[in-house]
Amino acid sequence: MLSFCKRPPYNKEKKKMITIIVPVYKSEKTLRPCVESLQNQTEKDIEVLLVDDGSPDHCPDICDELAAEDSRIHVIHKQNGGVSSARNAGIREAKGELLLFVDSDDSADPDMAEQLLRSLGEADLAICGYHHHYMGRLVEKIPDCKTWTGAESFLALYGQGYLNMPWNKLFRKSLAGSFDESLSLGEDLLFNLDYLRRAKGDVAIVQKPLYHYIQNDTGQTLSSRKRDDKLALAKRIWREALRFYEELAGQEDESGVINARLIQEVLDDVESMPFDHSRSRKEKLDVIASYCNDPELRRAGRNAALTALDYRLIHFCIRHGWKKGAYLLSVLRSLVVRMVRA
């Protein structure tokens, strides 16, 4: 069982600098506003590492221009290796004792670094909420739990999706591992789970949305490209989360929260099918049929704690092997989504 015990108090007299790591790739339209939000932080003891991941547009020049204007900004130019490779490069070069990750098409509230730093205290990790900008809509995401209580809090944060990303957290560099550069899905969650294993200390939870996550795509989780690989990766993440919870709680998860995250990956793919013109109707039905017959998905689906009505209805069809019913529901949902967007 993992033991999350209190460490000896950190030296509060020593001010700890924050390194903000920004992977940069094909974001020339959003890079400057992103960096401006970091330059405007009320916490001034920061350095900003812009990691140019071999971007083919004007981003490399913009990075250099920004660094020339502000001594706190430094640039790493590297060959393209993906976002995990860029973040790892930033971790290696970071001068600060604390790490904050920001994506180059997002931004941070002016007091994000200050509030996370103040809340961190003697804890090993600080987590905050965020503003989700999606297709012209804005939704505030705020963690339900106020304090870290171990296994119970892990389930709450995992189920609400607050452990899936690195950018709403303040990390201690001394405890940070590295992102798995071989993965295209779930590497952020694996990094966070590895960090929690290394930390074994308290987690501070800030019940405020301090980060602006901007998502302008269709939100597909399991895209048609390399779908089999992504489903396999989703299952790997599911198994790792189950194992972590068992280590933390000393027992298996009976709540269905972790199972629900796996099932949601599949349901997101089904719900995205009407928007996907790369596959025929038959191909989509064949994919749904494979979900219906997958033994691990069937096992996880028995007690998956799904709350959204559309998820529950489509999952009901999948559990009963009704592939056409699941597809029809996804089409009906897509019509509603199009009406709302119009």
Side-chain angles (χ1 to χ4, degrees), residues 63-91:
C63 288
D64 291 337
E65 291 170 6
L66 290 167
E69 297 167 0
D70 192 329
S71 61
R72 298 174 299 172
I73 299 175
H74 307 284
V75 182
I76 300 173
H77 294 290
K78 61 183 288 295
Q79 291 184 341
N80 179 252
V83 64
S84 291
S85 173
R87 287 174 178 154
N88 287 338
I91 293 173

Side-chain angles (χ1 to χ4, degrees), residues 175-194:
L175 299 173
S178 60
F179 292 87
D180 190 332
E181 298 178 20
S182 69
L183 299 181
S184 59
L185 175 72
E187 68 278 9
D188 296 344
L189 177 62
L190 291 181
F191 176 86
N192 291 335
L193 293 182
D194 177 65

Side-chain angles (χ1 to χ4, degrees), residues 80-151:
N80 179 252
V83 64
S84 291
S85 173
R87 287 174 178 154
N88 287 338
I91 293 173
R92 289 192 296 269
E93 297 298 323
K95 298 297 189 296
E97 297 96 331
L98 303 173
L99 303 176
L100 189 65
F101 296 95
V102 173
D103 288 348
S104 58
D105 50 355
D106 297 336
S107 63
D109 277 357
D111 59 343
M112 179 177 179
E114 180 183 2
Q115 292 219 34
L116 285 173
L117 180 60
R118 185 188 305 127
S119 299
L120 183 67
E122 299 173 9
D124 284 337
L125 179 69
I127 299 176
C128 69
Y130 60 96
H131 306 268
H132 187 186
H133 301 258
Y134 177 63
M135 303 300 290
R137 291 177 291 169
L138 173 60
V139 179
E140 287 190 353
K141 304 277 189 175
I142 302 174
D144 287 341
C145 53
K146 297 180 180 179
T147 58
W148 177 261
T149 57

Side-chain angles (χ1 to χ4, degrees), residues 137-180:
R137 291 177 291 169
L138 173 60
V139 179
E140 287 190 353
K141 304 277 189 175
I142 302 174
D144 287 341
C145 53
K146 297 180 180 179
T147 58
W148 177 261
T149 57
E152 182 181 354
S153 297
F154 170 76
L155 281 183
L157 292 171
Y158 182 84
Q160 296 165 30
Y162 290 103
L163 297 179
N164 290 1
M165 67 288 282
W167 39 251
N168 65 331
K169 301 170 180 67
L170 184 63
F171 301 88
R172 296 189 182 277
K173 182 184 177 182
S174 61
L175 299 173
S178 60
F179 292 87
D180 190 332

Side-chain angles (χ1 to χ4, degrees), residues 1 124 167 211 318 333:
M1 181 188 301
D124 284 337
W167 39 251
Y211 186 91
I318 290 177
R333 177 188 175 279

Side-chain angles (χ1 to χ4, degrees), residues 6 8 11 25 66 69 90 98 117 145 183 212 218 253 281-282 303 311 323-324 326:
K6 293 286 186 180
N11 183 359
Y25 187 77
L66 290 167
E69 297 167 0
L98 303 173
L117 180 60
C145 53
L183 299 181
H212 291 263
T218 60
D253 172 36
R281 183 177 182 275
K282 181 182 182 304
N303 76 332
Y311 278 161
K323 61 181 183 181
K324 292 184 178 179

Side-chain angles (χ1 to χ4, degrees), residues 84 154 158-159 161 163-165 179-180 182-194 197 221-222 228-246 253 257-263 265 296-297 300:
S84 291
F154 170 76
Y158 182 84
L163 297 179
N164 290 1
M165 67 288 282
F179 292 87
D180 190 332
S182 69
L183 299 181
S184 59
L185 175 72
E187 68 278 9
D188 296 344
L189 177 62
L190 291 181
F191 176 86
N192 291 335
L193 293 182
D194 177 65
R197 284 192 176 98
T221 304
L222 296 174
D228 293 339
D229 290 344
K230 289 193 174 183
L231 179 57
L233 289 173
K235 288 182 179 180
R236 174 181 171 181
I237 303 308
W238 166 64
R239 296 188 196 102
E240 286 294 325
L242 288 172
R243 184 165 68 91
F244 180 87
Y245 177 83
E246 189 170 353
D253 172 36
V257 170
I258 297 176
N259 286 343
R261 297 297 301 182
L262 173 63
I263 300 302
E265 296 284 348
E296 287 188 301
L297 293 180

